[in-house]
Amino acid sequence: MSTPLTGLARRLVNDNVLTEEKARSALAGARQESVPLVSFLVSKNMAPGRDVARVVAEEFGDPLLDLSAFNPELMTKDLVDHKLITKHRVLPLFRRGSRLFVAASDPTNLQALEDIRFNTGLNIETLVVEDDKLGQWIDAVVTEAEGGAFKDLDENLDDIDIGGGEADAKQEDASAGSDDAPIVRFVNKLLLDAIKLGASDLHFEPYEKTYRVRFRQDGILREVAKPPAGSAGKIAARLKVMSQLDISERRVPQDGRIKLKISKTRGIDFRVNTCPTLFGEKIVLRILDAESAKMGIDALGYEDWQKKLYMDALEKPQGMILVTGPTGSGKTVSLYTGVNILNTPERNISTAEDPVEINLEGVNQVNVNTKTGMDFSAALKAFLRQDPDVILVGEIRDLETASIAVKAAQTGHLVLSTLHTNSAPETLTRLRNMGIPSFNIATSVILIIAQRLARRLCEHCKEAVDVPPKSLLELGFTEEDIATGFTVYGPKGCEKCNNGYKGRLGVYEVVKITDGIARIIMEEGNSIQIADQCRKEGFNDLTRSGLLKVMQGVTSLEEINRVTSGH
């Protein structure tokens, strides 16, 4: 007979946040990893952080605080050593006389509270907060305490800690002599600037008489530097040394990786690709931020009903979820957000990618390498002999991969993958054109997400735009939309944004394969017929989803027209 649950675990079960089976599994996992139960639950996505925090506050009688509503300017800084904050996972917020109010996700950590009381000489009052938000705030505070995310590095650009090719880089620098020191500093500064500005890609481009460096920010490329054309070879050599590539090989493309440690608590990976051009090697770096997969589904921009469709599909024991869209539309983040939700000790998850962009603890990730014969289909065949529950295929490119993925989805596995199509209906016809029988498509695919990334209007400077009702109707808004009296906003531009925009948000077409849609698939209907059925069943296409974002005031009409034109 199993021991009755006690304390917080019992309360979580009684409040229907966890089942008893999940509670016991979480207790065992937390003990095994030597972490608090609250942190284990949230990090493994076994329960929403908000629900756990609510139950913790009620169980221990402490006030509940939403950190997203707290003004960081009110925070008491430098009162507690940041090493103590990191060690105990608690965060001093503000002081009132002899009382210090401290944010914690686990008030049972009495040692932490006692250590802070001893170090400050103040009485400690605990405020319960969500564990994932607490972690983000601690990272930010610790980074600032260490001199800012980039302050020290800006002052000493030669001392950046480069993982992977570090030994080779130092050897190359020593042999290159002092003449190349400016190149080292220049490249290091560009990498840091790209991270600070939130860029997704860096382009190093040699031409006959010029050389330019561009960053892609919020999906738009802009020029940031024009070093002398004669420095092209040295810049390319420096980047190739950092990413452990062959600096003597300039005739064929090469792929590498740079790991940049920007503080004691934060590192950034860059995926590097070189390509020979007429006047030298063009090198593109993609910034890979593992934190993007841990933002949570609420941060991606789904409408509530679209989010529910995705979450419901993730709970299915078998079937295929497809995410579609052009390169750079956020498909990887959408997929990994789903994988992160599914990543619990009870599931065996395997992924095949080209290449692996985001490393996730607890997920078995395979780099596809066609030179060695490890392509997507070979990886899938291997996975199916490894007792999988969830399989992620980076991209379905050919009939063999598609066939294996479909069979896996029909035989008790949840399969997640991507296709390069423009909309959900086109995805279904694309699979049929690849050679997958219509019946297999209708019985295996359970959800399709087509997506784009639109730039988000800057909250500090966005301004209202007067658009006549007739024009709104022509753009796709309905009479009912106009009757709500929504305001259309446009970009203005200020020192806090990039031409009126700051950040991006997802625009989604989420389609569940219903009986009506499945019938059209089996009757070999075309994408237009499937799209008509999707509209009848209430699934918004990309254009309609974009117009909803305009009505919510988070992006502009021009931006939605740019990213959804023709859809």
Side-chain angles (χ1 to χ4, degrees):
M1 186 175 179
S2 56
T3 308
L5 291 171
T6 59
L8 179 59
R10 183 200 67 241
R11 183 65 179 265
L12 288 164
V13 172
N14 290 344
D15 283 25
N16 297 316
V17 175
L18 291 176
T19 62
E20 184 168 338
E21 182 183 358
K22 273 194 173 182
R24 292 188 184 281
S25 172
L27 282 169
R31 277 195 296 268
Q32 185 176 353
E33 295 187 16
S34 299
V35 295
L37 174 62
V38 171
S39 298
F40 185 84
L41 287 171
V42 177
S43 67
K44 301 299 183 183
N45 292 295
M46 296 181 74
R50 186 179 305 172
D51 292 347
V52 174
R54 174 183 56 78
V55 173
V56 168
E58 291 173 359
E59 176 70 12
F60 297 104
D62 291 317
L64 179 64
L65 174 69
D66 183 358
L67 275 176
S68 59
F70 181 74
N71 184 355
E73 293 179 3
L74 301 176
M75 186 179 292
T76 301
K77 297 183 179 179
D78 303 325
L79 193 59
V80 179
D81 189 277
H82 65 269
K83 293 179 181 176
L84 202 61
I85 292 173
T86 304
K87 176 184 175 183
H88 289 310
R89 200 173 171 78
V90 291
L91 183 64
L93 292 179
F94 57 92
R95 178 179 177 177
R96 292 288 182 271
S98 62
R99 294 186 300 165
L100 179 64
F101 290 82
V102 174
S105 60
D106 180 19
T108 63
N109 189 352
L110 301 178
Q111 184 62 50
L113 305 179
E114 179 59 26
D115 283 355
I116 292 177
R117 187 195 66 76
F118 179 79
N119 275 266
T120 61
L122 300 173
N123 296 320
I124 307 301
E125 299 281 351
T126 306
L127 300 174
V128 175
V129 297
E130 296 170 46
D131 187 79
D132 46 355
K133 289 182 181 178
L134 176 63
Q136 293 167 6
W137 275 63
I138 288 174
D139 286 346
V141 168
V142 168
T143 299
E144 185 177 347
E146 291 175 350
F150 313 100
K151 180 180 175 184
D152 293 340
L153 292 171
D154 282 344
E155 293 172 356
N156 194 359
L157 290 167
D158 299 319
D159 292 338
I160 291 180
D161 185 2
I162 301 163
E166 185 177 6
D168 292 339
K170 288 179 178 177
Q171 184 178 355
E172 177 71 17
D173 293 342
S175 62
S178 59
D179 290 345
D180 285 342
I183 296 294
V184 172
R185 291 177 58 83
F186 174 72
V187 170
N188 289 351
K189 187 174 190 310
L190 282 174
L191 299 187
L192 293 174
D193 286 347
I195 298 168
K196 282 192 282 187
L197 294 170
S200 60
D201 302 85
L202 297 81
H203 293 242
F204 294 81
E205 302 169 316
Y207 298 98
E208 185 175 11
K209 297 179 180 178
T210 60
Y211 189 93
R212 71 176 176 181
V213 181
R214 293 189 291 171
F215 290 173
R216 188 177 294 278
Q217 287 178 261
D218 297 333
I220 306 295
L221 277 170
R222 70 180 188 89
E223 188 175 293
V224 296
K226 291 194 77 170
S231 63
K234 291 182 178 180
I235 291 173
R238 172 62 184 167
L239 289 168
K240 288 164 79 172
V241 165
M242 292 171 75
S243 46
Q244 291 186 293
L245 300 178
D246 183 355
I247 61 172
S248 64
E249 179 56 79
R250 302 182 181 90
R251 299 163 298 173
V252 296
Q254 296 186 68
D255 291 295
R257 205 176 183 102
I258 297 172
K259 188 171 185 67
L260 197 68
K261 193 171 182 182
I262 59 175
S263 74
K264 292 178 181 177
T265 58
R266 189 180 177 204
I268 298 286
D269 285 350
F270 295 81
R271 189 183 74 204
V272 184
N273 176 265
T274 72
C275 182
T277 65
L278 277 177
F279 304 105
E281 291 177 284
K282 172 171 179 175
I283 301 179
V284 177
L285 279 66
R286 164 68 58 90
I287 299 177
L288 309 174
D289 190 357
E291 296 303 312
S292 61
K294 301 174 183 176
M295 292 188 301
I297 195 168
D298 291 325
L300 298 186
Y302 287 96
E303 304 297 333
D304 287 342
W305 64 270
Q306 292 177 327
K307 171 187 162 185
K308 186 176 187 309
L309 287 175
Y310 191 15
M311 295 296 289
D312 288 347
L314 290 171
E315 290 177 4
K316 301 283 185 187
Q318 68 180 54
M320 183 183 291
I321 298 172
L322 293 172
V323 181
T324 77
T327 301
S329 60
K331 298 189 297 294
T332 300
V333 171
S334 282
L335 279 179
Y336 263 93
T337 299
V339 169
N340 210 31
I341 290 168
L342 295 169
N343 187 14
T344 63
E346 296 84 16
R347 291 189 180 95
N348 177 21
I349 304 175
S350 296
T351 77
E353 301 162 78
D354 183 18
V356 172
E357 293 193 358
I358 299 171
N359 298 328
L360 274 187
E361 189 78 23
V363 177
N364 309 293
Q365 298 172 280
V366 172
N367 257 326
V368 168
N369 186 345
T370 52
K371 292 179 182 177
T372 62
M374 177 57 88
D375 55 14
F376 283 116
S377 58
L380 267 175
K381 288 174 184 174
F383 290 165
L384 291 174
R385 292 190 287 269
Q386 295 241 321
D387 184 31
D389 297 302
V390 180
I391 297 172
L392 186 151
V393 186
E395 183 184 346
I396 293 178
R397 297 177 180 171
D398 52 57
L399 175 58
E400 185 179 10
T401 304
S403 298
I404 301 169
V406 165
K407 287 175 185 173
Q410 291 174 320
T411 55
H413 309 94
L414 185 63
V415 179
L416 294 83
S417 190
T418 70
L419 271 176
H420 282 289
T421 57
N422 289 323
S423 67
E426 289 177 33
T427 302
L428 296 165
T429 53
R430 169 75 185 278
L431 285 172
R432 190 168 66 231
N433 292 339
M434 289 176 73
I436 303 296
S438 299
F439 176 80
N440 287 347
I441 298 171
T443 55
S444 61
V445 179
I446 57 175
L447 189 79
I448 303 175
I449 301 171
Q451 68 180 75
R452 301 290 187 275
L453 285 178
R455 289 180 292 171
R456 186 188 293 273
L457 283 168
C458 174
E459 288 295 327
H460 298 282
C461 68
K462 69 179 182 181
E463 55 185 4
V465 179
D466 185 21
V467 183
K470 183 180 177 183
S471 298
L472 291 176
L473 287 171
E474 291 172 354
L475 289 166
F477 292 99
T478 65
E479 296 278 4
E480 292 78 10
D481 293 337
I482 296 171
T484 63
F486 68 90
T487 302
V488 177
Y489 290 94
K492 182 180 180 182
C494 65
E495 73 269 358
K496 294 185 178 181
C497 66
N498 187 18
N499 297 323
Y501 296 97
K502 187 172 184 181
R504 290 192 286 178
L505 73 158
V507 178
Y508 302 94
E509 174 185 22
V510 182
V511 174
K512 176 185 176 183
I513 306 305
T514 62
D515 292 341
I517 296 172
R519 185 167 58 252
I520 294 174
I521 296 169
M522 287 191 280
E523 291 171 356
E524 302 201 348
N526 58 37
S527 59
I528 297 173
Q529 293 170 303
I530 295 171
D532 288 340
Q533 184 65 27
C534 289
R535 276 191 291 273
K536 288 178 185 175
E537 302 209 19
F539 299 121
N540 290 345
D541 61 12
L542 283 166
T543 301
R544 178 61 187 167
S545 292
L547 295 180
L548 288 177
K549 301 295 184 190
V550 173
M551 292 173 66
Q552 293 162 12
V554 293
T555 191
S556 66
L557 275 170
E558 296 86 352
E559 185 64 8
I560 291 303
N561 288 334
R562 182 181 73 84
V563 299
T564 67
S565 179
H567 305 295

